[in-house]
Amino acid sequence: MDDNGFDWPAFLRRWRDEWVPSEDEAMDLAEEEAALDELRPVVAPASEAEVADAERRLGVRLPPSYRGFLLAGNGWRLRDDSIYQLGAAHEIGWFGDPFGMTPMYRGNLDERSTEQEVLLAGMWERALQLETDSDMSYVLLDPGDTDEDGEWALYVYKGWSGEYPTRYPSFRAYMQRRYESFHAERAPLPDFVNETTQARDADVERAREEALSGRWEAARDLLAVAKRYGRPGAAGMLGQLDVLTQGVRGGSYFGGLVADPRCADELVPVMALAHALQCLPGRPERPFALGAETGDAIRAAADGILARVRDGSYRYAPDGDFGQAVAEAREAARWGDTDGAWRVIRAALPSWTPPAPCLLAPLGLLADPVLGPVVTRERGRELLATPRAGRPGAVPEPVPDLDPPGLSWVAESGRWNAPYGSWRCLWVEGVEPEALPGLVGQGQGQGQGQGQDEAAGLTAPPVRPDGWLPHDVRRPGDDSAPWEDRAVVAVGRAGAAGGGWAFGFDPAARTHGPGRLFVSPAAEASRGGGRAVVLWIRRGRDDASAMFHLSVAERGAELFAYTLRGRDVERSGTVPEDLDPERVLSGAEDAERERRLLVAVQDAYGLSLPRHALVEGILPELTTRSWNRAPREGEVFSYARVTGGRPRV
C-alpha cells in the first residue's frame, strides 16, 4: 500500500472529532470509573527528531505508513477489541519472542507450507511491538514481510484466543480497520451522526439503485465498505447478493432485515433452508436462529416456514405478474424441464417489485424445493445482472442451458447417477407423469407421507443435507417381501406435455440386474395404449461383466426384449435391427458400449432424460411394484439379510 499522499493528520482529526463513548464506555463514565479525557483518542504528534531518535535506537527506518502516523499522532487510544493503547515513538521496541512462539510455528512447517506460513514462523523473533496497553494481545510489525512500497505487514496476536494472529498488509490498513470498527460499534447509537455515517448511508442507497439496475458488482463493493462501518441495511443487502452468487450456506445472512415483516417471505425461507441443510439425520436439533430480535409473529411464521421447507411443501408465491410466472415455471420444473422453467423466470424478472425497499431480488425462489435448484450460481448472477423493479438497463446474455439432449450424457465417465454401478429407467409414451402411479405404482395410497405430491402415490423428494446425493436419502421399502424388487424412481416428463414420454428413473438399483424372477414392467406400463421402454444398465467391474437390458411393450404386450451379459445375449421377440445388440455394439470397447446403446435407444424412440433435475433430486418420487415376480410353487428362493448395530455388552 503506497502511503504517499495519505493525510494522517486529517484522518486522526476526523476520528477524534467523531469520537463519542460507546455504550460500555458511557456506563463507565456514568459510574465514574473513567474520565472523559482517559477515553478520548487525543495525542500530540511526534517531531521528526523524536521519530529519528526511535529509528536510531531500533537500527531501522520505520515503514512509511507507521512513520506518517507517528508524525501526526504519537500513539493512539483504541479502546476497542483487545488493544487499548499504541505507544509513542520512544515506547516502541523489539518483541523478541518472549513466549517462545518461533519453535512451535517452525515445527509446523513442511514442504507444503506457503510463503506466508514461513514468514509468520519467523515473525516472532524479528517483530517490532507497538502496543503498550492491551488484554494479553500484541500489535507486531514484521520487517521481514514487506511489499513494494516498503510497508511492513502488521500482525495482531491475541494470546488468550488460541488462534493464529490476524495479518494486515500495513499499519495504515490496520488503523483503517480499527476506524471502521469504531464506527460499527457506535452505529446503533441514535445520536451517532456525522459526515462519515452520512456518506456511508448514501452509499447504501446508491448500492440499492445499482443492484436493482443490474449493476450488482458495483453494489457489492459499496455495501462491503458500508457493512464494515456497521451501517443499517448494508449487511442484509450484501447477504442477498452473496446468497445468489455463492449459494445457500449456513449462518445468518440478512442481519436486522429479517425483523421487517415485509421481508419475511423473501428472507426467512432462505435461512430456513440453510438451517435444514445443516441438520444431519439422527443428530440433535439445533435452534433455528434468525440472527436478529424479532416479534412473536415473525418468530411463529419462521417456525412454520422451517417446517414446510423440511417436508418439501414450501412454495414461493409472490404477487402479481411475477407470481404467475413463478407458478408456470414451477409446473415446468417439477417434471424436469428446468431450462424451460428458468427461461420463464428470466423473462419475468423485470416485473418483480420488492415488497420492501431493502430487498434486492426474489430470494424466496431459492427455498422453493422445485425452483431453488433451478437458480444455480451462474443463473443467480444472471438474475442480479437483469434490471428489476422498473429500472432501465441492458439485459445480460443468457447463461447456457444445463440439460444436454438425449440419453448419451448418462454414459459420461464418473457420472453421478450410478453410484452403485447400476441404474434403470422406464419410459411410457403419451401419458403424463401423474399417470405412472396407476400404471406401475406399488398400490393406491401407499408410499405417501409429508410433502405428498398432488398425484396419489407420488411423494416430494426429501430435503437432503449438504453434500448428500439424492440416492442417500431415498425412502427404503421396509415392508417388501424378500423376493421383491421395488424401485424408488424419480418421476418426470421427457418431451412436450401430452405428446412426449413420462419416465421413472432409479439412479441406484439395489439389485445387480434382471434375475430369473425378473418381469419387465414395460407390459403393465403400456396398458394406457402407447409404448413403454425399460432400460437397465450395470457397468462392469472386476467381479462381474457389464449388463444391458432393453424391453419394449405396446398396449399391454411385450414386443421384444433382450439382456446382454458380457457377450451372452438372451432374447425374446423380434429385436429391430437398429437396436440389435450384435449390430449396435459390434467392435465397441467396453467403455463405448453403454454410450452406443443409449444413442441407439434415443434415436429409435426420441427418448431423453433431464440431467439437472435428476442431479439435484427435485423430481417427485414413486415406489413401483416389484420388478420381480413371486416364486412359483416348487421354485427355490434364497436370500441373506445383513444388519449392523452396536454389539451388546
Side-chain angles (χ1 to χ4, degrees):
M1 177 184 293
D2 185 358
D3 206 56
N4 291 333
F6 183 72
D7 194 339
W8 277 103
F11 174 72
L12 297 179
R13 185 169 56 250
R14 182 170 70 250
W15 193 339
R16 180 192 61 209
D17 293 344
E18 292 173 348
W19 185 88
V20 296
S22 67
E23 290 182 344
D24 291 341
E25 290 169 340
M27 292 178 60
D28 291 342
L29 289 170
E31 297 172 0
E32 297 184 352
E33 294 184 5
L36 190 62
D37 287 344
E38 294 176 354
L39 302 178
R40 189 185 301 277
V42 179
V43 179
S47 66
E48 276 283 359
E50 289 175 307
V51 174
D53 285 344
E55 291 177 329
R56 280 192 294 271
R57 173 171 55 86
L58 297 169
V60 295
R61 181 173 176 82
L62 296 173
S65 65
Y66 183 57
R67 201 174 194 281
F69 161 76
L70 290 174
L71 293 171
N74 193 18
W76 196 253
R77 291 195 187 105
L78 292 170
R79 300 295 300 178
D80 69 331
D81 199 29
S82 57
I83 305 296
Y84 306 143
Q85 179 76 44
L86 296 178
H90 69 278
E91 296 175 307
I92 60 175
W94 297 111
F95 184 56
D97 193 12
F99 309 114
M101 306 296 287
T102 302
M104 179 177 66
Y105 275 75
R106 283 181 173 163
N108 292 329
L109 298 177
D110 57 29
E111 64 277 2
R112 294 172 297 178
S113 297
T114 64
E115 180 182 0
Q116 195 59 58
E117 290 170 335
V118 174
L119 286 172
L120 175 59
M123 180 271 297
W124 308 96
E125 293 180 337
R126 60 178 180 257
L128 186 64
Q129 183 176 357
L130 305 186
E131 91 295 332
T132 57
D133 186 15
S134 70
D135 179 13
M136 294 179 61
S137 299
Y138 308 91
V139 181
L140 306 173
L141 274 174
D142 182 9
D145 185 355
T146 62
D147 65 15
E148 63 275 10
D149 298 314
E151 293 291 354
W152 302 2
L154 184 146
Y155 291 86
V156 175
Y157 176 59
K158 300 175 181 178
W160 43 264
S161 71
E163 300 174 350
Y164 280 87
T166 302
R167 181 185 183 274
Y168 300 85
S170 68
F171 178 80
R172 176 183 163 188
Y174 168 69
M175 288 294 281
Q176 178 65 38
R177 188 68 191 95
R178 295 278 63 78
Y179 176 65
E180 293 164 351
S181 296
F182 154 78
H183 266 268
E185 185 179 3
R186 289 154 178 79
L189 299 178
D191 297 329
F192 186 61
V193 179
N194 49 60
E195 289 185 2
T196 301
T197 62
Q198 292 169 343
R200 298 292 81 78
D201 288 341
D203 285 346
V204 172
E205 179 57 29
R206 185 154 62 95
R208 174 178 174 272
E209 287 301 314
E210 294 281 4
L212 292 176
S213 299
R215 296 182 291 273
W216 65 272
E217 291 171 302
R220 183 178 60 185
D221 292 342
L222 291 168
L223 291 170
V225 174
K227 177 185 176 182
R228 295 199 297 270
Y229 281 84
R231 300 319 303 158
M237 291 187 187
L238 187 63
Q240 296 174 58
L241 302 182
D242 287 345
V243 77
L244 278 167
T245 56
Q246 301 173 22
V248 177
R249 300 176 297 174
S252 298
Y253 298 108
F254 312 116
L257 298 188
V258 295
D260 186 338
R262 298 171 298 174
C263 300
D265 288 342
E266 296 286 359
L267 304 184
V268 173
V270 177
M271 300 179 71
L273 177 60
H275 180 81
L277 292 175
Q278 287 193 314
C279 292
L280 298 178
R283 298 288 179 86
E285 173 66 16
R286 297 183 301 105
F288 177 31
L290 294 178
E293 293 187 11
T294 63
D296 293 342
I298 291 179
R299 180 71 257 179
D303 291 339
I305 289 171
L306 175 62
R308 295 197 300 277
V309 167
R310 276 182 168 154
D311 68 23
S313 64
Y314 173 76
R315 298 292 181 268
Y316 176 56
D319 296 330
D321 293 343
F322 187 72
Q324 295 178 10
V326 166
E328 180 184 346
R330 183 184 296 109
E331 182 61 22
R334 71 191 290 256
W335 302 122
D337 186 10
T338 55
D339 288 332
W342 176 244
R343 286 191 286 271
V344 171
I345 293 171
R346 183 175 62 204
L349 279 174
S351 69
W352 178 77
T353 300
C358 52
L359 291 174
L360 304 180
L363 259 68
L365 282 167
L366 300 177
D368 190 296
V370 175
L371 293 176
V374 172
V375 188
T376 62
R377 295 179 186 182
E378 293 76 16
R379 287 171 171 170
R381 287 188 278 271
E382 183 182 357
L383 184 158
L384 290 174
T386 302
R388 305 173 296 286
R391 270 53 171 191
V395 176
E397 284 292 321
V399 299
D401 284 350
L402 297 173
D403 284 338
L407 298 175
S408 58
W409 65 265
V410 185
E412 293 174 0
S413 177
R415 66 181 185 272
W416 71 275
N417 61 304
Y420 308 121
S422 179
W423 64 269
R424 53 189 170 182
C425 189
L426 162 71
W427 290 267
V428 184
E429 186 180 23
V431 303
E432 288 301 300
E434 296 96 330
L436 286 187
L439 294 173
V440 297
Q442 67 173 337
Q444 186 74 4
Q446 300 182 40
Q448 300 180 34
Q450 283 190 320
Q452 178 179 339
D453 198 89
E454 291 84 345
L458 294 179
T459 61
V463 175
R464 65 184 194 267
D466 280 335
W468 290 41
L469 293 173
H471 54 80
D472 292 322
V473 289
R474 300 164 79 238
R475 300 175 178 88
D478 293 333
D479 59 343
S480 300
W483 52 267
E484 286 189 305
D485 177 22
R486 299 180 187 175
V488 180
V489 296
V491 173
R493 181 188 295 130
W501 300 71
F503 69 82
F505 184 85
D506 180 4
R510 285 177 285 175
T511 55
H512 295 305
R516 61 185 180 84
L517 300 182
F518 169 71
V519 177
S520 171
E524 281 293 304
S526 68
R527 286 183 290 109
R531 294 172 294 180
V533 177
V534 168
L535 189 61
W536 192 340
I537 293 180
R538 184 193 69 211
R539 280 185 164 181
R541 56 178 190 266
D542 293 341
D543 60 339
S545 58
M547 183 280 302
F548 305 98
H549 169 84
L550 175 65
S551 51
V552 178
E554 187 173 7
R555 299 183 182 277
E558 185 172 278
L559 300 179
F560 66 89
Y562 72 78
T563 302
L564 175 67
R565 291 183 175 86
R567 304 293 173 177
D568 299 327
V569 184
E570 301 173 9
R571 301 169 180 260
S572 62
T574 303
V575 180
E577 183 178 353
D578 56 355
L579 292 172
D580 189 293
E582 294 182 359
R583 177 179 179 276
V584 172
L585 305 179
S586 176
E589 299 292 335
D590 287 347
E592 176 69 7
R593 287 158 65 83
E594 179 181 356
R595 192 195 68 80
R596 281 201 189 182
L597 178 61
L598 289 172
V599 170
V601 172
Q602 82 179 29
D603 290 348
Y605 300 104
L607 299 179
S608 63
L609 284 171
R611 179 172 65 184
H612 187 64
L614 291 170
V615 167
E616 294 297 331
I618 65 175
L619 299 175
E621 294 179 341
L622 168 67
T623 301
T624 71
R625 291 190 284 272
S626 175
W627 289 39
N628 284 340
R629 61 171 175 80
R632 300 188 179 110
E633 185 176 353
E635 286 185 323
V636 176
F637 178 79
S638 62
Y639 68 96
R641 178 168 292 165
V642 179
T643 59
R646 294 183 179 179
R648 295 183 179 180
V649 180

